[in-house]
């Protein structure tokens, strides 16, 4: 091996792989939501879109991959997104246990299946 190569631990590689997989999964989910909402998507502010991306990333990390793949993001309606955004605010404000809030977000998305 090249001695000039920066030492990268298996842990660092694993963490980066996790972040890449999460980002791709969130990107696909967001695209499905956008397609499902069509013109209503434009009613969301940039901050709301960013918050949705963040909470979906948290949800992706929380649920099993098989469960994530069974979620139907394209069936979410604007009121569902508003509810999810409310849960995102709860986590940001440390209003309740994060696991309980993520379970509530999961139930919202799961109910559309």
């Amino acid at each position: 091996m090249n001695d000039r190569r920066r030492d990268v631990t298996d842990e660092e590689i694993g963490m980066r792989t996790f972040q890449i997989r999460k980002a791709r999964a969130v990107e696909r989910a967001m695209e499905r939501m956008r397609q499902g909402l069509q013109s209503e998507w434009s009613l969301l502010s940039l901050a709301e879109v960013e918050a949705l991306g963040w909470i979906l990333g948290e949800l992706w990390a929380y649920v099993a991959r098989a469960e994530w793949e069974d979620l139907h993001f394209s069936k979410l309606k604007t009121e569902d997104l508003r509810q999810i955004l409310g849960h995102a605010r709860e986590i940001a404000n440390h209003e309740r246990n994060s696991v309980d809030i993520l379970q509530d977000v999961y139930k919202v998305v799961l109910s559309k299946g």
Side-chain angles (χ1 to χ4, degrees):
M1 287 226 168
N2 186 347
D3 289 334
R4 294 184 209 164
R5 184 178 73 83
R6 182 174 96 86
D7 287 344
V8 179
T9 66
D10 289 342
E11 182 179 1
E12 290 171 323
I13 292 169
M15 289 172 22
R16 182 65 184 137
T17 301
F18 175 86
Q19 291 299 327
I20 290 169
R21 287 181 180 161
K22 179 172 81 167
R24 287 180 181 161
V26 168
E27 188 177 312
R28 285 190 305 272
M30 297 282 285
E31 180 59 24
R32 289 178 182 137
M33 287 189 303
R34 188 187 66 73
Q35 289 176 354
L37 288 174
Q38 298 175 356
S39 63
E40 290 181 49
W41 181 260
S42 64
L43 300 176
L44 297 171
S45 70
L46 179 59
E48 289 171 324
V49 171
E50 289 173 352
L52 281 171
W54 175 79
I55 192 74
L56 289 178
E58 296 298 304
L59 182 64
W60 182 87
Y62 171 72
V63 301
R65 299 297 75 87
E67 292 174 358
W68 175 268
E69 294 302 322
D70 288 340
L71 296 175
H72 299 277
F73 294 99
S74 64
K75 295 183 179 180
L76 292 170
K77 302 296 180 206
T78 304
E79 55 271 12
D80 301 317
L81 297 189
R82 298 282 178 219
Q83 188 176 0
I84 292 169
L85 286 167
H87 291 309
R89 279 188 294 279
E90 285 183 288
I91 290 177
N93 295 332
H94 307 286
E95 294 177 18
R96 298 192 289 140
N97 179 300
S98 296
V99 171
D100 293 340
I101 298 169
L102 288 172
Q103 186 62 37
D104 290 345
V105 172
Y106 179 68
K107 287 176 186 175
V108 171
V109 181
L110 188 62
S111 72
K112 299 303 170 179

